[in-house]
Amino acid sequence: MKKILLSLSLSLPFVLSAQTGTATINGTLKNIKEEVPFLFYSYRNGDDVVRDSVPVKNAMYTISAEAEMPLMVNLSIVSPGKRGTSNSAASIFVEKGVNTTVSIDSFSNISVKESKANAEYTRLKSGVKPFQVQMRELTADYPKYREAQDTAAMRKIEEGYDALQSKMNEEVYGAYVKANPSSPVALYALGQYAGYDIDPAKIEPLFNSLSAANRNAAAGQRFAKKLAIAKATAIGAVARSFRRLIPRAK
């Protein structure tokens, strides 16, 4: 199928990058009972996103991606009678060259043999998982309270969720960046930690602590531009710019 390119805005999170290259993904599905005729994938290449699909034949598939490396690739399968389940999607990091993936029992149980970046990403996910479990447990009754219009109970859950999110960001993503400034997924972790509403005072020191290779990578340069925009539009910066327009009393 023909690949589709879509423009991305500056507000979207960035993927990490060290160099442009081609990654080949040779995948195998093992012990997956349902029929899987196609595999869908997407990835970001600079300010564009690529979406495409490949056939799955004899429980095997091949994907070729030319983009900045290492590269996060989002994968999903759609089988007859089974759509959109949590076990039907996965995200991986691949590197330039051949990447061998294996999904065992469920598609989401996927591993990448040759990718150091994916090994680090898997380590990050293991830190996130306990918080995700707590978040699911916390929000389990939220629909019930919303149906009953119990705003007090809803607000309590929302506050608890925000607290867990903040704790996860600090203890997983923030801690990872501080401890691994040269990691191939350090920029990814920083993007998760920063979120969409960047706090320059908090994020700029972390960005500056990254290795030169990460800061100078294409994605690092894009993050620096996003950080500069956040600094320029911070409340204090806006106030100063307005003050320049006010004539001084004589």
Side-chain angles (χ1 to χ4, degrees):
M1 293 186 181
K2 188 177 180 181
K3 293 181 180 177
I4 302 173
L5 294 177
L6 301 174
S7 294
L8 295 177
S9 68
L10 285 174
S11 64
L12 291 174
F14 297 99
V15 294
L16 65 164
S17 169
Q19 57 180 323
T20 298
T22 300
T24 299
I25 304 172
N26 292 327
T28 302
L29 310 181
K30 291 186 176 182
N31 300 329
I32 295 180
K33 297 179 181 179
E34 64 266 28
E35 177 188 355
V36 182
F38 289 96
L39 182 144
F40 298 86
Y41 67 90
S42 66
Y43 60 86
R44 289 171 182 163
N45 183 14
D47 291 329
D48 297 316
V49 62
V50 177
R51 302 185 193 277
D52 203 357
S53 64
V54 292
V56 178
K57 296 181 179 180
N58 299 319
M60 294 184 291
Y61 61 89
T62 298
I63 296 171
S64 180
E66 185 173 355
E68 300 168 354
M69 299 290 162
L71 176 69
M72 175 180 254
V73 181
N74 301 304
L75 307 169
S76 63
I77 58 175
V78 178
S79 58
K82 187 173 183 181
R83 185 182 297 270
T85 64
S86 60
N87 289 331
S88 65
S91 295
I92 59 174
F93 272 96
V94 297
E95 299 183 7
K96 184 178 179 180
V98 176
N99 299 261
T100 306
T101 66
V102 180
S103 293
I104 301 177
D105 296 330
S106 68
F107 183 72
S108 62
N109 184 28
I110 190 170
S111 62
V112 187
K113 291 183 179 179
E114 298 85 358
S115 175
K116 177 184 176 182
N118 196 69
E120 289 299 302
Y121 177 58
T122 300
R123 185 155 73 98
L124 261 178
K125 287 195 299 182
S126 67
V128 168
K129 187 173 181 179
F131 289 97
Q132 291 177 329
V133 171
Q134 293 179 65
M135 289 173 180
R136 283 195 296 269
E137 293 174 349
L138 178 66
T139 58
D141 291 331
Y142 192 85
K144 179 180 68 177
Y145 294 134
R146 183 172 55 193
E147 181 70 21
Q149 298 183 359
D150 189 340
T151 55
M154 291 167 61
R155 188 179 303 111
K156 184 176 180 180
I157 290 176
E158 291 165 359
E159 290 172 352
Y161 187 94
D162 289 343
L164 280 173
Q165 182 81 40
S166 179
K167 184 177 174 67
M168 179 184 72
N169 284 344
E170 293 294 338
E171 294 185 3
V172 180
Y173 293 119
Y176 183 88
V177 175
K178 293 173 184 176
N180 304 276
S182 299
S183 167
V185 298
L187 271 170
Y188 166 80
L190 181 60
Q192 296 299 305
Y193 182 61
Y196 290 94
D197 188 15
I198 292 180
D199 179 355
K202 184 178 181 180
I203 300 304
E204 186 174 34
L206 269 183
F207 176 75
N208 291 336
S209 74
L210 295 177
S211 66
N214 274 329
R215 293 196 312 273
N216 295 331
Q221 293 170 16
R222 291 197 302 276
F223 192 92
K225 290 179 182 178
K226 188 179 180 184
L227 182 59
I229 292 172
K231 290 177 65 177
T233 56
I235 294 175
V238 172
R240 286 193 294 273
S241 66
F242 276 116
R243 283 199 295 271
R244 294 193 195 102
L245 300 177
I246 302 174
R248 295 182 179 180
K250 295 182 179 179

